[in-house]
Amino acid sequence: MLRDMKWNKMQFISIFLLAFLGVYVYAGVGGEVAGIREIRNSYNKETNLGDAWIYGENFTEDDLQAVKDIEGITEAQRRLFLTAVGESEQKPTIYLYFQEENDISKPKVVQGEEFDQTDSKHVWLDKRFADANDLTVGDEYTFDIEGNQLTLKIGGLIYSPEYTYYTNDDAIIPDFSKVGIGIASYEAIPMEALGLQGKNTENVVGKNMTEEAKKAFIPFTQMVITTDLTDVGSLEDKISEALDGGYSYFITRESVLGVNQLQDEMKQHEAMMIVFTIAFVGIAILAIITTMNRLVNNQRTQIGTMKALGMKKGKILRHYMAYGFWLSAVGAALGVALGPVTLPRLFIPSMSSAYTLPEWKGGYSVNFFLVGIITVVACTLTTYLSCRKVLAVNPADTLKPAAPKKGKRSVFEKLPFWNKLSFSVQYNLRDLSRSKIRCLMGFAGTLCCMALLVCSASMNDSFKNMRDWLYEDIQNFDNRVELKKETTLYDAESLCNELQGELIMEDSVIVKAKNKKKTLSFTAVEGKGLYRFTDSNLEIDTLQDSDFAITQKTAEALGIKEGDEISWHLLDAEEWKTATVTIINRIPMGIGITTTRKVVEEAGYDFIPSYIATDVAEDDIHSDQIKKIFTKKSMLEAWDVSMETMTIIVVLLIIVAALLGLLILYNLGLLAYAEREKELATLKVVGFNASKLRKMLLIQNTWLSILGIIAGTPTGLLMVQYMVDIMGDAFDMTATLSISSFLLCSGGTLLVSIVVSIMFSGKLKKLDMVASLKGVE
C-alpha cells in the first residue's frame, strides 16, 4: 500500500487534502460557533438573562405583582431606563438602568464590588466604555439626564447580558468611547429629572420619605421576566389581561437586537461551513472513484495472481479499502484536531470588535467527530464500490490485461458538422464520452473553484453595493447633525433652514396586522429629497404627503401588501392609530416604517426631530443645539471596519478556491495522462510533438473550465444569497457580481487550468514511447 501511495503520491495527497479541508473547515468554523455559543449559554445562565421584556410608562407594585401571579412566569422585576449624556468631550450616549432588584439580567462584574441594588452612591459601568474613556473603579463620573446632572462613583466594571451587541447612533461597529451602559440602584435616581422639582422637592423626596413612598414616585418603565414556558410569546395575552392593557409593548429574546444579533451571525457561519464541507468531501469522493478505478485496473495482474494463490477476496478487498480509509481517517483526524484550534483565531479579533462577551475562545462539539466519521465512511464505501467490480472477475481473466472497451460512436460523432472539426477537437470529444467520471470530476473541480471565487467576489460586491445603497441612494446627504433632546421644534426648524437641510425624526413603533405584532424602527421625513426611499424594484424616490412605507421583509412577515391597512403607535404611546400602506420599500439594513412629518402630526403626535440631514460642510456648522455631527466619511469608515470579518472570509475563499482548483485539475491531469499514455505515445510516434500534444490536452481542460465557469457563477451567487437569507429580516441584500469581478473570477479559474497544463508539459517531453506501448503478450 505504501509503495502504491509513493508511486501515485499526487492523487493520494489530493484525496488526503480534500478530506482534511472538508473536516477542517467544518470543525474550524464550527469551533468558533461552538465556543461562542458555549460562552453565551454559560453567560446567560450565570446572569439569569430575561426571557421577555414589558415596556410601559409607570409600572406600580400592583402591576408587578399581577405579572408575577401569571402562570408560567417564574420571576419579574422592575427598572427605570433613561438615556444620559456623559461628561467627556465625545459626549457619549449612556443607557442608564436604575434597578429595584438584581435577580434577572444581572450585570457580570469583572472589576470592583458586586452590584448592590440599595447603593445610592455608585454606578456600575460597562467595561469597554470605561476602558475607552480611561475610567476605573473609584472614579467619579457625571451624567447629564435631560439637563440634570448626576454624579456617581464607579463601583465596578461590568458586562451586560442584554448588550452583547450595541452601537452608537447610526454606526455598525460600536465606538465604545461614544456609547456605554450604566447600571445603578433605584436609590440613585435623580428625582429632579423625573419632574419632581421646585421648593417642595426636598420635602417630597427628602429624608422623611419612606422607601415605599419614594418607589411610588419612580416611573418604572420596564419589567423583565423569566419563564419556564417554551413558547414565551404566548404570555402576551395573559400579560395584557393582567395589566388591563396598561403597557406599551412586549418583546421576547428573539426581538432584542443586543441578544439576537450575534446568534444571527453564527447562523451565517454555520451555513458557510456546511456548504464548504459538502463541496470538499464531494470532490474527495470523486477523486477516490477515479484514482481507485485506475489503481485497481492497473493492478489486475497482481490481483489475479493473489487470487490464484488462494488469497481470499475479502482480504484483497480490505487491502484496497485501506487506501480510502487511512487517507480520509488521517485527514479527518487532523481536521478535527487543528480546525477548532486555528480557524477561530482568525475570526475572533474582528468578532470581538463588534460583540461583547466575557471571554472569547473556540470550542468543540460532538458534531465534529460525527462529520469526521461520516467523511471516513463515505470515502471507504466509495473505495469499496470502486474496487468490487474488478475483484468479482475470475482469477484467469484478471491475469490478462482488461480487454479494451468496445468502440462505439459517441453522441458527438452524430453531429452534422463532425467531419469539419479538427482532429484535436474530435479526439477530445471522444475522450469526454469515454471517460465520463474523470470529466465529471474535472467539471466539478472547476465548478467549485469558480463558485468559491464568485462567492468571495460577490460578498465583496454585495456589501459594497449595500454601502452605496444606504449612504448614496437613501441617505442622500453629507452630514448628519444630531440634535440635543431639549432642542425645541422652533430651534430645530431655524437651524435646519440655516443649513438648508431636512428634519428627520427617528423613533420605534409597534405595528399590528392580521393578528401579528412587530416592533420596528420608525423614520419620519419632510420630503425634501435628502432622505429618500427605494421601492421593491430599487427605484429611488422621495416620500410625499401621506405616504406610509413599510419594508418588504416586514410586509412579507405580516402578510400585507400596498393598499392594506395596519394599526400602529409609537413606542411610548398606547393608543392605536390606523394607516394605509402606500409603499413597500426596501432598505439594506433594518426593518421599519418610513413616513412623513404630515402623517405624524395628523396622527396626533409631536414631530420631534432627531437630526438634520444637510450637505453643508462640517466646519461651517455651529450651534448650541447640536449634540454631535456624523459625517458621511466617518460613517463609511465605520462601515469598512465592520467588514473586516468579511474580508477575512473573502481571502480564505480565494486561497481555498485556488488550492481546490490546483488539486482537482492536477489530479485530473495525472489520471488523464495515465489513462491515455498509450494513446499519447502512439500520437507521438506518428509525428505529434510535445507542444502539439500539450495544446491538444489544454483544449479539454479549457472546455471543462468554461463549463465550470458557466455553472459555478450561479452556484456562487446562490451560496451568497443563502448565507444572507438566513441572517434574518434585519438584512435585505441581493447577491450581485460586477462584470469586472466576473472577469477576474473567470480569468483566475482559467489561469489555474493553464498552470496545471504547463505543469504536465515536462511529462509529455519525457514520454517513453517504447515502454508505453509495451503490453503483456
Side-chain angles (χ1 to χ4, degrees):
M1 183 174 75
L2 293 176
R3 182 171 59 246
D4 287 338
M5 286 185 175
K6 180 181 178 182
W7 290 344
N8 301 277
K9 55 182 176 291
M10 289 309 301
Q11 292 98 315
F12 287 118
I13 286 173
S14 67
I15 294 170
F16 161 77
L17 286 176
L18 287 166
F20 164 73
L21 286 172
V23 179
Y24 176 76
V25 169
Y26 187 93
V29 179
E32 177 218 14
V33 173
I36 289 175
R37 281 190 175 156
E38 180 184 347
I39 293 166
R40 174 80 247 198
N41 292 337
S42 173
Y43 187 25
N44 291 352
K45 187 175 180 180
E46 179 187 356
T47 58
N48 193 25
L49 176 65
D51 293 310
W53 290 257
I54 309 167
Y55 293 77
E57 292 185 357
N58 187 4
F59 292 123
T60 65
E61 286 275 8
D62 291 339
D63 292 334
L64 179 64
Q65 190 58 50
V67 170
K68 286 182 176 180
D69 291 340
I70 295 173
E71 184 181 354
I73 292 180
T74 53
E75 291 180 283
Q77 70 180 43
R78 298 183 297 175
R79 64 189 187 186
L80 170 65
F81 170 74
L82 296 173
T83 302
V85 177
E87 64 179 348
S88 60
E89 283 185 25
Q90 303 262 24
K91 299 296 180 185
T93 299
I94 302 172
Y95 306 125
L96 270 178
Y97 291 89
F98 296 94
Q99 302 202 160
E100 182 181 20
E101 301 291 343
N102 188 38
D103 298 320
I104 309 173
S105 293
K106 297 180 289 187
K108 180 179 176 62
V109 180
V110 292
Q111 189 177 332
E113 298 294 326
E114 288 297 318
F115 175 72
D116 182 357
Q117 68 269 25
T118 64
D119 188 337
S120 63
K121 304 297 183 183
H122 291 87
V123 64
W124 279 255
L125 287 180
D126 174 57
K127 186 177 188 303
R128 302 190 76 171
F129 171 77
D131 290 344
N133 289 279
D134 296 321
L135 299 172
T136 188
V137 175
D139 290 350
E140 286 192 341
Y141 196 75
T142 300
F143 305 89
D144 185 308
I145 305 172
E146 297 183 1
N148 298 287
Q149 306 299 309
L150 173 65
T151 301
L152 297 171
K153 273 192 175 183
I154 299 174
L157 304 182
I158 61 162
Y159 292 129
S160 169
E162 294 180 18
Y163 285 91
T164 54
Y165 175 80
Y166 65 100
T167 63
N168 48 301
D169 298 300
D170 229 16
I172 299 170
I173 292 295
D175 181 347
F176 293 106
S177 66
K178 297 178 181 178
V179 64
I181 303 157
I183 298 179
S185 165
Y186 74 96
E187 295 275 4
I189 294 175
M191 302 305 283
E192 296 82 0
L194 305 181
L196 299 176
Q197 300 182 26
K199 58 185 179 182
N200 294 322
T201 300
E202 189 172 332
N203 295 327
V204 174
V205 295
K207 296 179 180 178
N208 297 327
M209 183 179 243
T210 64
E211 182 178 334
E212 289 73 17
K214 184 174 182 180
K215 283 184 181 180
F217 279 102
I218 300 173
F220 290 103
T221 56
Q222 297 180 9
M223 272 195 277
V224 192
I225 66 171
T226 57
T227 177
D228 52 13
L229 298 179
T230 304
D231 184 7
V232 182
S234 64
L235 288 170
E236 183 169 8
D237 290 338
K238 296 178 182 178
I239 290 171
S240 179
E241 183 180 347
L243 297 178
D244 194 24
Y247 70 102
S248 297
Y249 65 103
F250 167 90
I251 59 173
T252 62
R253 283 188 192 180
E254 289 71 25
S255 301
V256 179
L257 184 65
V259 175
N260 208 44
Q261 180 77 9
L262 180 59
Q263 182 64 23
D264 286 343
E265 181 141 351
M266 290 301 97
K267 287 179 183 177
Q268 183 190 23
H269 290 197
E270 280 183 319
M272 180 178 66
M273 74 185 185
I274 291 170
V275 169
F276 292 163
T277 299
I278 292 172
F280 284 126
V281 175
I283 298 296
I285 288 172
L286 284 175
I288 288 172
I289 292 172
T290 51
T291 302
M292 293 310 298
N293 275 337
R294 173 180 168 269
L295 180 66
V296 172
N297 284 324
N298 286 347
Q299 295 186 355
R300 282 175 60 90
T301 306
Q302 292 96 312
I303 292 171
T305 302
M306 287 188 287
K307 291 175 74 174
L309 292 173
M311 187 174 289
K312 292 186 180 295
K313 176 183 172 182
K315 189 171 184 179
I316 300 173
L317 189 59
R318 286 193 295 274
H319 164 74
Y320 285 105
M321 286 175 64
Y323 289 94
F325 173 79
W326 287 111
L327 288 169
S328 58
V330 174
L334 283 174
V336 170
L338 297 178
V341 176
T342 56
L343 265 186
R345 295 183 180 182
L346 291 176
F347 292 101
I348 284 174
S350 57
M351 291 291 292
S352 61
S353 68
Y355 301 97
T356 300
L357 286 175
E359 61 176 324
W360 293 88
K361 64 179 182 179
Y364 277 88
S365 167
V366 68
N367 291 337
F368 305 165
F369 300 97
L370 289 176
V371 168
I373 291 170
I374 290 170
T375 300
V376 173
V377 170
C379 291
T380 306
L381 182 62
T382 303
T383 308
Y384 164 74
L385 295 174
S386 300
C387 301
R388 65 174 183 167
K389 187 175 179 180
V390 173
L391 293 174
V393 180
N394 292 327
D397 293 329
T398 53
L399 286 169
K400 297 182 293 184
K405 291 181 180 179
K406 184 178 180 180
K408 61 178 181 179
R409 293 183 69 194
S410 69
V411 65
F412 301 110
E413 294 180 56
K414 298 176 184 178
L415 296 172
F417 50 84
W418 172 260
N419 292 327
K420 296 180 181 180
L421 299 176
S422 67
F423 172 77
S424 295
V425 174
Q426 290 181 346
Y427 174 81
N428 279 293
L429 287 173
R430 286 194 183 103
D431 185 65
L432 285 173
S433 64
R434 288 197 306 262
S435 307
K436 296 181 180 65
I437 296 294
R438 172 166 53 79
C439 294
L440 176 62
M441 177 184 166
F443 167 72
T446 51
L447 183 152
C448 288
C449 178
M450 181 65 180
L452 291 176
L453 287 174
V454 167
C455 184
S456 63
S458 177
M459 287 172 68
N460 188 60
D461 288 347
S462 298
F463 279 99
K464 186 174 181 247
N465 182 55
M466 281 180 68
R467 185 187 68 175
D468 295 341
W469 182 8
L470 180 61
Y471 293 114
E472 298 290 343
D473 297 343
I474 296 176
Q475 298 182 13
N476 183 36
F477 50 85
D478 290 335
N479 291 306
R480 173 188 171 115
V481 182
E482 296 277 339
L483 300 172
K484 293 179 179 178
K485 278 195 172 183
E486 58 268 25
T487 301
T488 65
L489 180 59
Y490 175 81
D491 290 336
E493 288 176 331
S494 298
L495 180 59
C496 182
N497 291 332
E498 182 183 330
L499 299 178
Q500 299 178 357
E502 179 174 355
L503 292 175
I504 310 293
M505 172 182 173
E506 289 186 334
D507 206 329
S508 295
V509 66
I510 310 292
V511 298
K512 183 171 64 174
K514 298 184 177 179
N515 297 319
K516 297 177 183 177
K517 193 183 292 186
K518 273 187 172 291
T519 303
L520 308 171
S521 64
F522 181 84
T523 304
V525 303
E526 293 186 302
K528 296 180 180 178
L530 291 177
Y531 193 106
R532 304 180 294 190
F533 75 92
T534 50
D535 62 19
S536 55
N537 297 317
L538 298 184
E539 296 293 329
I540 304 169
D541 205 345
T542 302
L543 289 170
Q544 299 294 337
D545 299 327
S546 299
D547 279 340
F548 195 91
I550 188 167
T551 49
Q552 183 171 288
K553 288 199 171 185
T554 305
E556 291 170 356
L558 294 174
I560 60 176
K561 58 186 184 299
E562 288 183 9
D564 289 349
E565 282 194 349
I566 64 169
S567 299
W568 67 283
H569 68 74
L570 294 181
L571 203 60
D572 295 333
E574 295 181 6
E575 183 182 350
W576 289 99
K577 311 292 182 180
T578 302
T580 300
V581 176
T582 60
I583 298 167
I584 302 294
N585 70 316
R586 293 178 62 186
I587 56 176
M589 296 180 67
I591 51 175
I593 301 290
T594 308
T595 187
T596 63
R597 175 177 178 175
K598 179 181 178 182
V599 170
V600 172
E601 292 176 338
E602 286 182 350
Y605 295 118
D606 292 330
F607 181 76
I608 305 173
S610 306
Y611 68 91
I612 299 172
T614 179
D615 288 328
V616 173
E618 181 184 13
D619 294 338
D620 296 330
I621 301 174
H622 306 284
S623 172
D624 294 336
Q625 308 299 327
I626 296 173
K627 178 182 174 183
K628 62 183 78 171
I629 299 173
F630 290 98
T631 65
K632 180 180 287 189
K633 180 181 177 183
S634 67
M635 290 187 283
L636 291 177
E637 287 174 351
W639 177 281
D640 293 338
V641 171
S642 71
M643 294 298 106
E644 286 180 356
T645 300
M646 189 210 68
T647 303
I648 294 172
I649 294 173
V650 167
V651 172
L652 281 175
L653 285 175
I654 293 172
I655 294 172
V656 168
L659 180 61
L660 181 65
L662 285 170
L663 279 175
I664 296 301
L665 292 178
Y666 188 78
N667 191 35
L668 176 68
L670 287 173
L671 293 170
Y673 179 81
E675 288 178 1
R676 296 186 288 182
E677 188 174 359
K678 288 184 181 180
E679 296 175 13
L680 295 173
T682 302
L683 291 172
K684 205 168 183 181
V685 167
V686 299
F688 282 74
N689 57 35
S691 176
K692 192 165 185 178
L693 289 176
R694 185 173 65 250
K695 289 179 182 177
M696 190 168 68
L697 295 179
L698 180 60
I699 289 174
Q700 188 175 128
N701 274 359
T702 304
W703 288 351
L704 293 173
S705 296
I706 291 172
L707 289 174
I709 288 169
I710 294 171
T713 301
T715 303
L717 291 172
L718 285 173
M719 287 169 63
V720 174
Q721 196 61 53
Y722 171 67
M723 287 188 283
V724 170
D725 289 343
I726 65 170
M727 291 174 70
D729 293 343
F731 285 85
D732 184 359
M733 183 181 86
T734 302
T736 57
L737 185 70
S738 64
I739 296 296
S740 58
S741 295
F742 171 75
L743 293 175
L744 283 172
C745 295
S746 303
T749 303
L750 288 171
L751 180 63
V752 170
S753 177
I754 293 169
V755 168
V756 170
S757 297
I758 293 172
M759 292 168 68
F760 277 98
S761 60
K763 281 186 173 290
L764 293 172
K765 289 179 182 178
K766 297 175 183 177
L767 180 63
D768 189 335
M769 292 177 283
V770 176
S772 298
L773 292 171
K774 279 184 178 179
V776 178
E777 298 296 335

